[in-house]
Amino acid sequence: MTMDTGTVESVPPEPALAPKAAGRGMVELVLRARELSIVAVLIVLVGATTIANPLFLSGQGVKDMFLNASILALLAVGQTLVVITRNIDLSVGSVVGLVAFLTGSFVSGTEHNVLLAMLVGVAVGAACGLVNGVLVSFCRVPALVVTLGTLYVIKGLDHYIAHGRQISAADLPAGVLRLGNDGVLGIPYLPITAVAIMLGVGFYLRSYSSGRELYAIGSSPEAATLAGVPIRRRVLAVYLASGMFAGLAGVLWLSRFGTVVADAANGWELRVVSAVVVGGVAIVGGIGTVYGAALGALLITTIGSVLVVLKVDAFWQQAITGVLLLLAISVDRLLALRVTRALRKGNRRHGF
């Protein structure tokens, strides 16, 4: 008996995959460059400020810098999930204010532990996120309209509940205040919490199919629908997550500052969006990481601290944040054009 010993030819890869891989590779390269550039800017900024004022990089100065960035970074992580799906959540600042006041009212003059306070805050935030998610995903109302509307509704509700009152640090349980001021081995609890959540969400986005589906939704909702991705459920889930993170941030705000009034975190929604976009998350969806968003939050808060140390008018912090936002959006647009050109050239080379 004889056997056919003909050679086996290797099957070439799918031609269409080559340009797509090239486009993805370019995006990942630029994202890494964006994150590294933020780190470089932070190093230069901190170094120059330390030369001007050596106390800026003291132990207390470093602690304050990370404490100031923690709440914004936590909000940026939740906002990243939303923006990746080609949506936006402008209500996070008002949710923080509402949760901070409601939670403060709940625990004032009592011995409630910090865990119960966190559960209450996350539950309130989840309810706000659920309303946003249902209106955007199932009622098909544009995200900008929905979250701008809930921003004012939640803010009005906060003022109605507060009715001119304020929460005083003297009335809060010691455990709640310790959350915002104590730490482990000299590291405050707030940065530890923010970093732990950032790492967890980053691992989820990279390692789970449902996390990768969020990028698919943002890149092309039509293609995601054809691929069987449950878009409505995923969008509802990211708004729910954003609301929960905003609720947790409200509790952290209460523990950090102690004294809370009705307009706590007023205007923070724009700071959160700025941190996310500056950190490399494309406002058109489908691109970005929570690590870049957290770095963007650290950069924005560091700029604020530097301006205070150098005794610069607070107006310039808002102006610089606006300039950073415009630059980041411009870079995102240029990146999108570069990727589109790369894909077209690859398609022409492969006969598509």
Side-chain angles (χ1 to χ4, degrees), residues 35 48 142 150 221 278 304-305 309 318 337:
E35 293 170 3
T150 53
V278 168
S305 300
V309 169
Q318 299 179 5
L337 292 174

Side-chain angles (χ1 to χ4, degrees), residues 291-309:
Y291 313 117
L295 284 172
L298 181 59
L299 176 61
I300 288 175
T301 53
T302 301
I303 290 173
S305 300
V306 166
L307 294 179
V308 170
V309 169

Side-chain angles (χ1 to χ4, degrees), residues 71 74-75 91-108 114-129 150-151 153-159 161-162 165 167 172 176 179 240-256 258-266:
I71 297 175
L74 180 59
L75 292 171
S91 67
V92 289
S94 57
V95 172
V96 170
L98 176 64
V99 169
F101 196 90
L102 282 180
T103 306
S105 300
F106 176 71
V107 301
S108 289
V114 66
L115 181 60
L116 182 59
M118 292 173 72
L119 289 175
V120 170
V122 170
V124 174
C128 296
T150 53
L151 181 157
V153 170
I154 295 170
K155 187 178 293 186
L157 180 62
D158 190 13
H159 280 276
I161 293 172
R165 296 181 296 119
I167 304 299
L172 298 177
V176 173
L179 176 64
L240 185 62
S242 179
M244 292 172 67
F245 290 146
L248 178 58
V251 179
L252 298 182
W253 181 289
L254 174 69
S255 64
R256 171 81 172 99
T259 301
V260 176
V261 294
D263 62 347
N266 184 37

Side-chain angles (χ1 to χ4, degrees), residues 31-351:
L31 283 176
R32 292 194 194 100
R34 283 279 289 275
E35 293 170 3
L36 290 174
S37 65
I38 293 175
V39 173
V41 170
L42 281 168
I43 293 173
V44 172
L45 190 62
V46 171
T49 307
T50 304
I51 294 173
N53 186 342
L55 295 178
F56 180 71
L57 211 56
S58 64
Q60 186 61 42
V62 173
K63 181 180 178 181
D64 289 340
M65 188 164 57
F66 283 105
L67 281 171
N68 293 337
S70 298
I71 297 175
L72 184 59
L74 180 59
L75 292 171
V77 168
Q79 189 75 234
T80 298
L81 295 174
V82 176
V83 174
I84 283 174
T85 62
R86 204 179 285 193
N87 289 290
I88 197 167
D89 187 356
L90 296 178
S91 67
V92 289
S94 57
V95 172
V96 170
L98 176 64
V99 169
F101 196 90
L102 282 180
T103 306
S105 300
F106 176 71
V107 301
S108 289
T110 69
E111 293 301 322
H112 291 316
N113 59 37
V114 66
L115 181 60
L116 182 59
M118 292 173 72
L119 289 175
V120 170
V122 170
V124 174
C128 296
L130 185 63
V131 171
N132 286 332
V134 168
L135 291 175
V136 173
S137 61
F138 289 93
C139 298
R140 303 292 184 90
V141 183
L144 182 64
V145 175
V146 168
T147 58
L148 188 61
T150 53
L151 181 157
Y152 287 109
V153 170
I154 295 170
K155 187 178 293 186
L157 180 62
D158 190 13
H159 280 276
Y160 175 78
I161 293 172
H163 206 66
R165 296 181 296 119
Q166 74 173 24
I167 304 299
S168 174
D171 298 327
L172 298 177
V176 173
L177 294 176
R178 280 198 298 270
L179 176 64
N181 297 280
D182 292 351
V184 179
L185 300 176
I187 304 175
Y189 290 126
L190 265 63
I192 293 174
T193 302
V195 169
I197 290 175
M198 177 194 70
L199 293 175
V201 174
F203 178 78
Y204 163 75
L205 289 174
R206 176 172 287 274
S207 303
Y208 287 85
S209 59
S210 56
R212 294 191 295 272
E213 286 173 354
L214 301 182
Y215 288 98
I217 294 170
S219 298
S220 176
E222 297 80 7
T225 301
L226 294 174
V229 176
I231 294 180
R232 292 185 180 181
R233 291 208 306 265
R234 295 287 180 262
V235 172
L236 176 62
V238 296
Y239 272 105
L240 185 62
S242 179
M244 292 172 67
F245 290 146
L248 178 58
V251 179
L252 298 182
W253 181 289
L254 174 69
S255 64
R256 171 81 172 99
F257 300 106
T259 301
V260 176
V261 294
D263 62 347
N266 184 37
W268 267 52
E269 52 279 344
L270 295 182
R271 295 187 69 189
V272 175
V273 173
S274 299
V276 168
V277 176
V278 168
V281 181
I283 199 70
V284 294
I287 298 174
T289 66
V290 292
Y291 313 117
L295 284 172
L298 181 59
L299 176 61
I300 288 175
T301 53
T302 301
I303 290 173
S305 300
V306 166
L307 294 179
V308 170
V309 169
L310 298 180
K311 298 180 180 180
V312 178
D313 195 313
F315 160 77
W316 290 105
Q317 180 181 356
Q318 299 179 5
I320 292 172
T321 300
V323 170
L324 287 174
L325 182 59
L326 291 174
L327 287 174
I329 292 175
S330 300
V331 170
D332 288 339
R333 180 58 181 164
L334 291 174
L335 172 60
L337 292 174
R338 289 286 300 276
V339 172
T340 301
R341 290 196 195 102
L343 290 174
R344 287 176 179 172
K345 289 180 181 178
N347 286 334
R348 284 198 296 267
R349 282 199 301 268
H350 290 85

